[in-house]
Amino acid sequence: MLIELERPSIETKTACFHCGETCEDEIIQFDQKSFCCHGCEQVYKLLSENALGDYYTCDVNPGKAPSAQNFDFLNHPHFRDQLISFSNKGISKVHFHLPAIHCRSCLYLLENLARIEPAVVKSNLNFGKKELTVWFTEDQIDLGSLASLLARLGYEPLIDSGEEQAQQKKRTSQQNQLFLKLGIAGFCAGNAMLFSFPEYLGIEAGSLKSLFGYINIALGSIAVFYSGSDYFTNVWSHIKLRKLTIELPILLGILVGYLRSVYEVFSHTGAGYIDSVSGLLFFLLIGKWFQQKSFDFLSFERNYKAYFPLVISKLIKGTEKTCPLEEIEVGDHLVIRNQEIIPADAILIKGKSQMDYSFVTGESEYITLEPGNSMYAGGRHQGELIEIEIKKALNQSHLTQLWEQQAFKDPNHKTENWENFANQVGAYFTLVLLSLALVVGVYWFQHDPSKWQNAVVSVLVIACPCALAISYPFALGHGIRWMAKFNFFIKDIQAFERMSQVDTLVFDKTGTLTLHQDEQPTFHLIRELSPLESRVIFSMVNQSTHPLSRQLTRHFRTENIKSTEPLDSMIEIPGKGIEAQLDGIKYQVGHARFTGHAREKQQDFIRSESQLFIRIGDEPIGYIEFPWQNREGVEYMIHALQANYEVYMLSGDKQSHAGSLLDWFPNESHYKFECSPLDKMQFIQSLQAQGKKVAMIGDGLNDAGALKQAQVGIAISEDHLHFTPSSDAILQGKQLIHLPIFLKFARFGLQLIKASFLLSLVYNLFGLSYAVQGTLSPLIAAILMPVNSLSMLFIANIGMNLKGISIKSYLEK
């Protein structure tokens, strides 16, 4: 039964004709169509001017919001040489990874790129890999401009670092090896069945019968010892560790079937069961492929380097030069512009900065920095152009200390004290199966030696837990794919299973449970603003990139204040506010000290994350408050989760900023404030020391340690294609409210596997009742084994799909 959550009232909203997103701030009308921003409008114009209007007929709202990202750094030889795979006579070939590709409209547009940019010779899209190959004339358009063109069309290229590219190549190599083994197993199984047809139909093939048997043995040998080589490797590795897993009885069943076949063929006493053995291996490898298949366009293993820019602006003898991030050295002077990230611990040399450390520490207040102040890697600079001096190497910065923890160093950290259900069962199952086979063999060897071989082979073959080995990856794999349809991307089936077993949930506050957007500001003014004063203030904040200025700009637009006043002068002072002059009157918008507002307490002068003060002339008018907004529906979500889980909240913020969130938790032990990233990680460790299985839900680098330490780390992202810290799953922010449903679906997946395993045991007990008597032919056992496996596979697929459909129907209500 699904958990019912209260639903907000539905408002009629206008969708953008290009990207389908809701038009929040303003609706731009062009050509009798509505657009959410000028970027989408410009893409529509570009496509229309180049006779590519059919792009919109391939799908509904097929576009993606364009990006203004500048890719000029790709022209640097360091990056150009990495990306250009071929260049001759002015024609160059480049491969771009475009995560935003999602439908046939993307295929239509990107393969017609030459109609938009004449310098493009041709373009070819690999839809499955989301990879675009472009041949272009480099003396007409450089690599950076080509990448920027794609970004403006809504297909921003993902430029990976060398480390990420190496990891991707390793994953691709492993997948290719699995595909090769899968293909060979399928080839052997198909041909073994073909050469077994005379045996199936009872046809006397004469001299060909022996030849077909030898060919089957050759095919079976390739299937068992090449396609099944991973089973030998894994079983031996676990035996050395004195561990029994489910792969051991599977390998025993395969080897017994293979060796019995070799004996029968060479002794001319039968045709063997090579077709069943190779067919079983084929289905097991399909399960492995299904298990390994992941979302290649997402990265679940990002570290702090992925958050930093790929290039920096270095001052060399007074001249600004663009260099790769790896070339940073202690003592270098860098130029940092508004909204850029500090790449390493440094000291501010020139200019003033309003530093945003929220993504690194969780602290939502901005910090004002002046020349001589220290600044730390990962902070985002707000304000004028500044110059900094690097004081620590990139890998020795304050931020990277978190990555020195054991959870980051040990790639098997999450699984070292955890065993999946299949292997838990496998340990006991193996002991019981070997004991039973030994007892049966000894019994029949003493009472009727002619039966002991058939009895032992039949027991090992019919009791092979292949049904669990096949249904396990398929059931959980279907769960992962259904979750992806709900914008919940899970790394692998192990993470899905661990998610089904958690009993404790820990939430980050800032950016996860709360958002700083869409909230209508509250005006605390001593008088109303005149229309002229409102327009002047709108003109001031409209030119600022500060988050509160952007919020106030949106509010004025909703109040139909859209025209600006031609100001005599205006200056934005980073860390303080904005000052403007009009007709001899001075207007100020900023924090209390800047505008001269008297405060009752000294600490009230600390700049608030949520207030803008206004002064007109000599008169302090008051302030406008922008409280952090609780993410829509999270209160109902928290209460729903508390019925089945222990729920905690951690924050790097001050407790005074928590507001109503504290009322959602039973007592003070369930929330903690002013936590450093290491504090969060240690809090998770303390819960685990109590025997709890913990899932951490967070959004920033400050949560990276906790996400890594927890049994399951879920990164919240408004756009899953952009940066998220290392995690086991990525959940789109607006889907967070449905987390109780998703966790229940994970538990259902594990319950379904257990149910199919119990059903398989019933079948095995029935078959074993004949096998132990020595009356069951090994041939019948070899036929029944894959039949049992396929029936369990059918149950797993149908069960997960029906559950997924029911969740989809519920969410679409």
Side-chain angles (χ1 to χ4, degrees):
M1 182 176 181
L2 295 173
I3 299 172
E4 293 287 344
L5 300 175
E6 184 173 322
R7 296 176 177 274
S9 58
I10 299 174
E11 299 178 5
T12 302
K13 295 184 178 181
T14 303
C16 176
F17 177 76
H18 175 70
C19 69
E21 295 293 327
T22 303
C23 300
E24 297 283 359
D25 298 339
E26 58 181 327
I27 300 175
I28 299 170
Q29 296 290 338
F30 176 78
D31 201 15
Q32 298 182 340
K33 295 174 176 62
S34 300
F35 299 92
C36 64
C37 63
H38 289 290
C40 286
E41 177 195 20
Q42 291 302 316
V43 174
Y44 171 79
K45 289 180 180 179
L46 182 63
L47 297 179
S48 299
E49 291 168 359
N50 290 278
L52 291 172
D54 287 344
Y55 172 74
Y56 295 101
T57 65
C58 297
D59 211 336
V60 179
N61 307 122
K64 289 287 184 179
S67 166
Q69 176 70 33
N70 189 324
F71 286 91
D72 287 346
F73 66 88
L74 293 182
N75 298 323
H76 189 282
H78 175 83
F79 296 101
R80 182 194 174 280
D81 293 344
Q82 285 184 9
L83 293 174
I84 297 291
S85 59
F86 174 81
S87 185
N88 185 38
K89 296 181 179 180
I91 302 296
S92 298
K93 177 183 176 183
V94 64
H95 301 280
F96 285 122
H97 183 51
L98 309 179
I101 292 171
H102 64 290
C103 69
R104 56 183 178 173
S105 293
C106 305
L107 178 67
Y108 171 79
L109 174 59
L110 293 171
E111 293 209 336
N112 283 282
L113 197 61
R115 294 167 65 177
I116 297 176
E117 174 51 64
V120 172
V121 178
K122 69 173 181 176
S123 53
N124 183 36
L125 177 65
N126 185 323
F127 191 87
K129 292 184 177 180
K130 299 179 183 287
E131 185 177 270
L132 180 69
T133 303
V134 182
W135 290 262
F136 65 103
T137 308
E138 204 163 358
D139 59 357
Q140 296 181 23
I141 183 172
D142 57 46
L143 186 60
S145 299
L146 180 60
S148 297
L149 171 63
L150 292 170
R152 291 199 304 274
L153 290 173
Y155 301 97
E156 181 177 335
L158 178 63
I159 310 299
D160 290 328
S161 65
E163 183 179 336
E164 290 176 321
Q165 290 176 3
Q167 291 176 353
Q168 180 62 37
K169 286 181 179 179
K170 183 179 179 180
R171 288 195 298 268
T172 302
S173 176
Q174 292 172 343
Q175 289 177 354
N176 290 340
Q177 290 180 15
L178 178 59
F179 280 136
L180 182 59
K181 291 177 179 179
L182 177 60
I184 288 176
F187 171 82
C188 293
N191 283 280
M193 291 178 187
L194 179 64
F195 289 117
S196 299
F197 257 87
E199 192 71 23
Y200 295 158
L201 302 176
I203 300 173
E204 288 296 330
S207 61
L208 290 177
K209 182 176 182 179
S210 296
L211 177 61
F212 288 166
Y214 298 142
I215 294 175
N216 275 348
I217 292 299
L219 292 170
S221 300
I222 295 172
V224 170
F225 295 107
Y226 176 71
S227 295
S229 59
D230 287 344
Y231 285 96
F232 290 91
T233 304
N234 294 341
V235 167
W236 178 242
S237 298
H238 284 108
I239 287 175
K240 288 192 293 184
L241 295 172
R242 298 181 180 180
K243 289 179 65 177
L244 295 177
T245 66
I246 197 170
E247 290 180 321
L248 178 56
I250 291 174
L251 182 60
L252 282 175
I254 291 171
L255 282 177
V256 166
Y258 169 76
L259 294 173
R260 178 62 186 235
S261 300
V262 171
Y263 168 76
E264 290 189 2
V265 169
F266 283 97
S267 64
H268 302 289
T269 55
Y273 329 110
I274 292 297
D275 50 346
S276 293
V277 170
S278 54
L280 175 63
L281 271 169
F282 177 63
F283 283 111
L284 287 171
L285 289 174
I286 290 178
K288 279 184 174 289
W289 165 75
F290 206 72
Q291 175 178 336
Q292 290 185 8
K293 185 172 172 59
S294 61
F295 306 102
D296 294 331
F297 60 94
L298 296 178
S299 177
F300 294 94
E301 300 295 342
R302 286 169 170 157
N303 62 17
Y304 63 95
K305 292 181 182 178
Y307 177 56
F308 292 149
L310 293 173
V311 293
I312 45 89
S313 298
K314 186 187 295 188
L315 281 177
I316 302 176
K317 295 181 179 179
T319 303
E320 186 176 337
K321 182 180 178 182
T322 301
C323 301
L325 178 67
E326 293 82 1
E327 295 183 6
I328 287 181
E329 295 179 356
V330 175
D332 283 348
H333 283 228
L334 307 184
V335 172
I336 304 294
R337 292 175 171 80
N338 185 42
Q339 296 290 322
E340 289 186 345
I341 295 169
I342 307 301
D345 292 357
I347 287 181
L348 182 59
I349 302 298
K350 292 181 181 179
K352 294 183 179 180
S353 172
Q354 184 134 307
M355 191 58 61
D356 176 12
Y357 286 118
S358 62
F359 199 66
V360 178
T361 67
E363 171 60 60
S364 58
E365 290 188 356
Y366 292 89
I367 298 175
T368 301
L369 299 178
E370 297 184 351
N373 291 155
S374 296
M375 49 179 53
Y376 300 102
R380 187 182 293 275
H381 163 62
Q382 306 271 356
E384 63 186 359
L385 184 144
I386 60 173
E387 180 182 336
I388 66 173
E389 180 182 347
I390 301 299
K391 287 299 180 183
K392 287 186 179 180
L394 178 64
N395 59 359
Q396 296 176 347
S397 66
H398 178 78
L399 173 64
T400 60
Q401 293 175 8
L402 187 63
W403 269 262
E404 294 301 314
Q405 302 299 312
Q406 185 63 26
F408 287 92
K409 290 183 176 181
D410 183 3
N412 299 316
H413 160 74
K414 289 182 183 285
T415 57
E416 62 183 8
N417 296 317
W418 174 84
E419 198 68 77
N420 64 43
F421 171 73
N423 284 339
Q424 287 176 355
V425 170
Y428 300 104
F429 193 91
T430 302
L431 292 174
V432 172
L433 178 60
L434 293 177
S435 301
L436 180 62
L438 180 62
V439 170
V440 169
V442 170
Y443 174 83
W444 284 115
F445 187 78
Q446 294 177 348
H447 292 80
D448 188 350
S450 64
K451 289 185 176 181
W452 81 269
Q453 289 187 4
N454 279 355
V456 170
V457 170
S458 296
V459 167
L460 291 174
V461 171
I462 203 166
C464 176
C466 303
L468 178 59
I470 291 177
S471 64
Y472 174 81
F474 273 91
L476 299 188
H478 275 299
I480 287 176
R481 279 148 189 78
W482 272 108
M483 291 288 207
K485 293 181 180 180
F486 309 135
N487 289 312
F488 191 6
F489 301 93
I490 301 174
K491 179 181 177 181
D492 51 35
I493 65 171
Q494 286 78 22
F496 187 90
E497 183 177 352
R498 293 199 303 273
M499 192 180 298
S500 71
Q501 298 172 347
V502 299
D503 53 29
T504 304
L505 303 175
V506 179
F507 287 88
D508 168 56
K509 182 184 81 73
T510 307
T512 302
L513 297 179
T514 62
L515 292 174
H516 204 173
Q517 61 182 20
D518 298 334
E519 181 77 8
Q520 290 299 319
T522 303
F523 285 74
H524 301 272
L525 308 179
I526 61 174
R527 63 173 177 80
E528 283 192 19
L529 297 174
S530 69
L532 174 63
E533 291 170 338
S534 297
R535 291 196 301 274
V536 170
I537 294 173
F538 172 72
S539 303
M540 294 166 66
V541 296
N542 189 45
Q543 300 180 57
S544 171
T545 59
H546 191 278
L548 293 186
S549 296
R550 303 316 303 154
Q551 281 190 268
L552 186 55
T553 299
R554 287 196 293 270
H555 170 73
F556 277 131
R557 284 175 175 162
T558 61
E559 298 294 319
N560 292 320
I561 301 174
K562 297 182 179 180
S563 61
T564 59
E565 289 291 327
L567 305 174
D568 297 333
S569 65
M570 193 200 89
I571 182 172
E572 182 171 3
I573 305 171
K576 294 184 178 181
I578 310 171
E579 183 175 295
Q581 291 272 353
L582 179 65
D583 298 333
I585 300 176
K586 182 167 69 174
Y587 295 80
Q588 291 178 312
V589 177
H591 66 67
R593 267 186 177 167
F594 177 64
T595 57
H597 280 71
R599 308 296 284 168
E600 295 179 0
K601 302 176 183 178
Q602 180 64 28
Q603 59 263 35
D604 288 336
F605 279 107
I606 297 176
R607 185 191 170 281
S608 170
E609 61 163 334
S610 60
Q611 295 173 343
L612 278 181
F613 289 81
I614 299 175
R615 185 184 189 93
I616 301 177
D618 296 327
E619 182 183 17
I621 301 297
Y623 64 93
I624 305 171
E625 188 166 16
F626 302 82
W628 277 79
Q629 167 188 325
N630 296 337
R631 194 185 288 272
E632 185 177 13
V634 292
E635 180 178 1
Y636 309 104
M637 176 200 71
I638 292 292
H639 291 317
L641 290 171
Q642 286 171 337
N644 299 298
Y645 302 90
E646 278 199 64
V647 182
Y648 296 84
M649 180 179 68
L650 301 178
S651 177
D653 216 341
K654 295 179 174 61
Q655 184 168 336
S656 59
H657 296 158
S660 63
L661 269 69
L662 301 184
D663 299 332
W664 303 351
F665 298 89
N667 53 58
E668 292 184 359
S669 65
H670 282 72
Y671 52 80
K672 187 177 180 182
F673 292 88
E674 299 187 47
C675 299
S676 69
L678 193 57
D679 290 337
K680 292 184 178 183
M681 191 174 184
Q682 291 172 344
F683 184 83
I684 299 294
Q685 290 173 335
S686 68
L687 292 175
Q688 292 171 330
Q690 300 171 32
K692 300 183 185 298
K693 297 176 181 178
V694 185
M696 173 70 193
I697 302 95
D699 73 312
L701 274 178
N702 61 303
D703 304 314
L707 290 169
K708 195 74 173 179
Q709 179 65 40
Q711 274 85 357
V712 179
I714 302 175
I716 303 299
S717 176
E718 302 309 317
D719 185 350
H720 59 268
L721 300 179
H722 288 173
F723 175 82
T724 53
S726 177
S727 62
D728 299 294
I730 300 172
L731 175 61
Q732 190 179 57
K734 63 183 180 182
Q735 296 294 337
L736 179 62
I737 183 179
H738 302 306
L739 185 60
I741 298 172
F742 299 149
L743 293 177
K744 191 167 186 178
F745 185 40
R747 292 199 303 272
F748 172 81
L750 189 58
Q751 291 167 356
L752 184 64
I753 290 172
K754 292 179 178 179
S756 66
F757 177 67
L758 289 175
L759 188 59
S760 176
L761 280 181
V762 172
Y763 157 83
N764 285 343
L765 291 173
F766 177 77
L768 285 172
S769 66
Y770 290 94
V772 296
Q773 299 176 43
T775 58
L776 183 66
S777 165
L779 176 62
I780 300 300
I783 294 173
L784 291 178
M785 179 175 61
V787 170
N788 176 35
S789 299
L790 291 176
S791 61
M792 294 304 103
L793 176 61
F794 177 78
I795 291 173
N797 288 350
I798 294 298
M800 292 301 287
N801 282 323
L802 288 177
K803 188 68 173 180
I805 291 171
S806 70
I807 292 176
K808 181 181 179 182
S809 300
Y810 171 78
L811 296 180
E812 289 177 348
K813 287 181 182 178

